[in-house]
């Protein structure tokens, strides 16, 4: 991550605009144990109280990093019930990075966000139909089958 | 001039900064070889 992804200009701007960036060596066993981290890279999204809202394990290219942490920030907003902001982040990932691994995850949680915001189950069905049409092989499509 | 992410290295300072900026924290656990 340090050699390719973090020096990428688009990633620098994305991280600076969206997050407070914090790097901790995994040899800091107290924090590694506190967050249950045993492998690197492991990247978490936390709120200002230190509560975890999202986790990614393993290397991400610059393009995948941005889409993944658009979803990660969306999950922060979803977890803190800031629903319009969550929708906006998931929409960015869906629109800007349709080829990214995180795109079907963004569609899944867009459905969840709209459902939690409105208590109307229709967005869950819409999310499943979109996943089935665009990402039939995705794990997220299988996870959404019950919404069909 | 090369751009780089300005990482903090202290969780409590990151929490304070997150409160002030109303942003989430991106916490990267890394291994320095």
């Amino acid at each position: 991550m340090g050699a390719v992804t973090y020096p990428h200009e688009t990633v620098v701007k994305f991280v600076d605009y969206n997050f407070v960036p914090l790097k901790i060596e995994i040899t800091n066993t107290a924090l590694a144990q506190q967050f249950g981290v045993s492998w690197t890279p492991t990247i978490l999204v936390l709120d200002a109280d230190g509560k975890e809202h999202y986790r990614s394990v393993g290397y991400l290219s610059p393009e995948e990093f941005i889409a993944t942490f658009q979803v990660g920030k969306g999950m922060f907003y979803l977890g803190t019930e800031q629903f319009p902001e969550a929708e906006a982040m998931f929409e960015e990932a869906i629109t800007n990075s349709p080829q990214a691994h995180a795109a079907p995850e963004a569609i899944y949680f867009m459905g969840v966000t709209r459902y939690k915001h409105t208590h109307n189950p229709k967005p869950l069905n819409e999310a499943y139909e979109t996943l089935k049409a665009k990402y039939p092989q995705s794990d997220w499509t299988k996870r959404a089958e019950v919404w069909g | 001039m090369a751009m780089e992410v300005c990482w903090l290295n202290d969780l409590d300072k990151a929490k304070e900064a997150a409160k002030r900026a109303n942003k989430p924290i991106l916490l990267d656990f890394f291994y320095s070889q």
Side-chain angles (χ1 to χ4, degrees), chain B residues 8-21:
Chain B
L8 299 179
N9 59 9
D10 181 288
L11 179 57
D12 288 333
K13 286 181 180 167
K15 287 178 178 176
E16 289 170 20
K19 280 194 177 83
R20 282 197 308 271

